Amino acid sequence: MATRGITVNQIGYPPDARKTFICTGEGGTFEIVREADGRIVYRGETELPVYDEASGITVSRGDFTACTEEGGYFVRLHGETSASFAIANNPYAELHTGLLKSFYYFRCGMELEEPYAGPWKHAACHTAEGIVYGEPDRKHGSSGGWHDAGDYGKYTGPGAKAAADLLLAYEFAPQAFQRPVPLPETDGLAPDVLHECRYELEWLLKMQDERTGGAFHKLTTKQFPALDVMPEDDRAELYFMPVSAAATGCFAGVMALAARVYRPFDEAFASRCLAAAERAWEWLEGHPASPENPGFKNPADIATGEYGDPVDLDERYWAAGELFRTTGEAVYHEAFRKLAAETFPKYELGWADMGGYGTIAYLFGEKAKADGTLHASLEAGLLGVAERLARRCAEDGYLTSLRPEDYIWGSNMVLLNRAMLLLIAAKVSGEARYQALALEHVHYLLGRNVLDYSYVTGFGHRAVRHPHHRPSVGDGVEEPVPGLVSGGPNRGLNDDCMQEHLQGKAPAACFIDDELSYAGNEVTIYWNSPAVFVVSHFVK
């Protein structure tokens, strides 16, 4: 399918939102055409063209915010047409369910049955005990949780980020989770997002070393299986990799968060999560941060994802912030204040820089118990970051906060994490413009980008179809597993497929929809999770 020169959000727009399409070149008089009868419902002129550095082209924008009648439409300009899109009162409801349902497809250790999985069903996988690395006689149950990405590894830090995003999505936008997905656990009592998160949390609890309270860094085989291997056919031995401070901090943070969220639904589970978080904190206290600590490194015979992180102050900060918010105990407040005085990113939401989660925990905790000066400082810092992102949006041809240097491995995570931060800033400040800017990021994700791609499998007129995702490659089903967020353009061209096909491309155009492109077209739970958070805010 050819790339169109007129790009839109291929799902659609809410009637009361700003509505913009973007086209290559000079623009001119455009028409909004109703699909049902071919009637022109709106004519307008594009804005003055601007040069978009990230895509390396001149673009023009057309604003059709005045169109508010629900229905299906397309843009016509100079005889060319855009993808079709809807104007609808709740255009992202199905997308939201699909993004959340993807976590069910990532599940490990259980059969995915046809009533829930459809043609993407498969047998139970990775049900054997795992071996504690370096201790061949020490084995533990290891099944459950979510596969991390296009591979079948399971990683404590990235898993904690993904679960945290979903739990925060529910905390901030509970109205978006009223409809069942459905899942095998759907019971009409707890929302399905909490059933799905619990599947991961139960596995994360297995990652706590019962001897020390620290969290194992990851659980993987020694090598990745071939790209077409289904999960139930990956039978190599599984290994719990050594405890790390970064993993333990993430574990403590997400467990303290879970204790708070699950308390109204399951007191016993909430207490179990809190006890695990407190024990992990004890491990952190007994293993203080040190500049000499290199962080986790893969042993010489391990070739799976390392997720190395030499700085663990941000994970400790998150843990202290969540434990203080959940318990109100002074010991965690004091630890948080001390960590806040250290230098590390406090507004990032990536798996390596988790400080933003600690800041969110503190800003949305009980204000009467907070340190007023610190609270004000963190709030001002957050809004300062949001303002910088807003300025970037104003400078960008496609109205996002991504600059050329931001098109890295997983650029769509950068996109969505920033949209998350803008939404948090909207909550803190009450300024609706930040929420509107977050929606511009959603428009990019769903097709209003230079490549005319919806980066979510199964959603949009020109959605990614060939993700680097073993089940999608090996299952014999033509369509990929739906609802998966692709990593997106990567100017680093970090795989052979990108090197072969994308030399000389502008940063925003460094993407190929090919299953071999693991550095551009892989999928992960922690790219889907911020997408769920962001889209939740636009679901009624």
Side-chain angles (χ1 to χ4, degrees):
M1 191 183 296
T3 303
R4 289 167 290 242
I6 306 169
T7 60
V8 296
N9 180 327
Q10 296 170 20
I11 301 298
Y13 304 81
D16 58 352
R18 179 188 183 191
K19 305 174 194 71
T20 305
F21 71 85
I22 299 175
C23 66
T24 57
E26 296 295 315
T29 303
F30 66 87
E31 300 165 338
I32 304 298
V33 183
R34 189 161 60 197
E35 276 193 301
D37 55 11
R39 179 170 167 260
I40 298 169
V41 301
Y42 185 81
R43 267 195 192 88
E45 294 290 325
T46 58
E47 300 169 4
L48 291 174
V50 296
Y51 179 70
D52 181 55
E53 185 182 2
S55 61
I57 60 172
T58 296
V59 299
S60 301
R61 302 184 199 121
D63 190 297
F64 58 102
T65 303
C67 296
T68 59
E69 185 177 345
E70 294 193 35
Y73 300 91
F74 61 86
V75 182
R76 186 162 59 206
L77 172 65
H78 300 324
E80 286 189 66
T81 59
S82 72
S84 58
F85 59 87
I87 295 176
N89 184 51
N90 199 14
Y92 310 124
E94 287 187 19
L95 169 71
H96 182 257
T97 300
L99 290 166
L100 179 57
K101 177 66 175 285
S102 73
F103 289 88
Y104 170 78
Y105 291 117
F106 276 115
R107 286 191 187 188
C108 178
M110 67 174 285
E111 180 184 359
L112 302 191
E113 299 176 299
E114 189 165 2
Y116 302 100
W120 301 284
K121 64 184 185 295
H122 65 74
C125 61
H126 305 102
T127 56
E129 290 187 321
I131 302 165
V132 176
Y133 187 84
E135 302 179 56
D137 295 328
R138 190 177 168 207
K139 297 182 178 181
H140 295 294
S142 65
S143 66
W146 302 318
H147 297 142
D148 176 66
D151 63 88
Y152 302 132
K154 295 184 288 189
Y155 305 82
T156 300
K161 175 200 162 33
D165 288 342
L166 298 189
L167 294 173
L168 290 171
Y170 172 69
E171 276 200 319
F172 280 101
Q175 82 290 339
F177 297 95
Q178 293 177 358
R179 290 175 296 276
V181 170
L183 299 171
E185 299 85 1
T186 299
D187 58 8
L189 301 175
D192 278 350
V193 65
L194 298 190
H195 291 307
E196 192 56 68
C197 279
R198 182 160 179 170
Y199 194 80
E200 174 74 356
L201 292 165
E202 293 278 10
W203 171 76
L204 280 169
L205 287 165
K206 297 178 181 179
M207 295 299 285
Q208 186 168 39
D209 181 4
E210 80 282 4
R211 294 182 180 177
T212 67
F216 296 114
H217 192 81
K218 63 177 184 173
L219 176 80
T220 72
T221 54
K222 288 190 172 185
Q223 311 286 330
F224 288 133
L227 186 56
D228 61 352
V229 171
M230 289 295 288
E232 62 268 34
D233 297 324
D234 179 28
R235 297 190 178 93
E237 288 184 318
L238 291 161
Y239 290 87
F240 291 94
M241 292 299 152
V243 167
S244 74
T248 305
C250 288
F251 177 91
V254 77
M255 288 299 163
L257 168 57
R260 183 172 72 249
V261 174
Y262 283 89
R263 186 76 63 189
F265 300 97
D266 189 332
E267 181 78 27
F269 181 66
S271 296
R272 186 176 160 214
C273 290
L274 182 56
E278 291 173 330
R279 186 152 189 245
W281 180 260
E282 290 174 5
W283 185 96
L284 291 169
E285 290 284 84
H287 299 79
S290 166
E292 288 75 40
N293 175 20
F296 177 84
K297 293 288 185 184
N298 267 341
D301 59 339
I302 304 296
T304 52
E306 185 171 80
Y307 287 104
D309 185 357
V311 178
D312 54 48
L313 291 171
D314 49 316
E315 288 85 7
R316 294 169 185 269
Y317 174 79
W318 178 28
E322 294 289 6
L323 279 161
F324 174 58
R325 184 179 178 188
T326 297
T327 69
E329 292 182 13
V331 63
Y332 301 121
H333 194 195
E334 183 59 28
F336 183 85
R337 283 188 290 199
K338 286 182 179 178
L339 286 160
E342 300 284 348
T343 301
F344 59 88
K346 297 183 179 68
Y347 307 100
E348 293 292 327
L349 300 168
W351 62 262
D353 292 313
M354 303 289 278
Y357 295 96
T359 298
I360 291 168
Y362 200 69
L363 291 181
F364 289 90
E366 191 175 340
K367 196 168 182 180
K369 292 184 176 180
D371 178 318
T373 301
L374 176 56
H375 191 282
S377 173
L378 290 173
E379 182 175 309
L382 174 70
L383 296 180
V385 172
E387 274 304 297
R388 288 196 291 277
L389 295 179
R391 288 195 294 272
R392 292 182 186 182
C393 292
E395 297 164 356
D396 182 64
Y398 285 85
L399 302 174
T400 79
S401 60
L402 295 181
R403 288 181 167 173
E405 61 268 24
D406 296 321
Y407 287 90
I408 59 173
W409 195 330
S411 62
N412 281 337
M413 184 188 75
V414 179
L415 175 93
L416 293 163
N417 284 348
R418 289 180 178 174
M420 270 187 73
L421 205 68
L422 287 164
L423 289 166
I424 297 295
K427 294 280 188 184
V428 167
S429 67
E431 293 197 36
R433 64 191 176 97
Y434 292 134
Q435 181 162 320
L437 291 175
L439 186 54
E440 301 290 2
H441 290 63
V442 175
H443 296 333
Y444 168 97
L445 183 75
L446 297 174
R448 205 189 63 187
N449 52 66
V450 68
L451 295 177
D452 185 39
Y453 267 122
S454 168
Y455 288 114
V456 183
T457 58
F459 288 88
H461 188 261
R462 188 169 186 257
V464 165
R465 290 177 55 85
H466 306 287
H468 182 88
H469 177 239
R470 281 167 174 77
S472 292
V473 174
D475 61 10
V477 181
E478 183 177 354
E479 293 295 323
V481 171
L484 305 177
V485 175
S486 170
N490 174 10
R491 68 202 293 260
L493 307 183
N494 298 111
D495 61 52
D496 291 342
C497 183
M498 300 182 94
Q499 286 279 344
E500 180 181 351
H501 297 285
L502 300 174
Q503 294 289 343
K505 299 284 188 182
C510 288
F511 177 83
I512 182 169
D513 183 16
D514 192 304
E515 65 194 35
L516 298 179
S517 181
Y518 57 84
N521 205 24
E522 191 167 8
V523 298
T524 81
I525 53 174
Y526 55 87
W527 297 341
N528 260 78
S529 60
V532 172
F533 181 98
V534 172
V535 174
S536 298
H537 285 71
F538 304 102
V539 173
K540 298 178 181 178

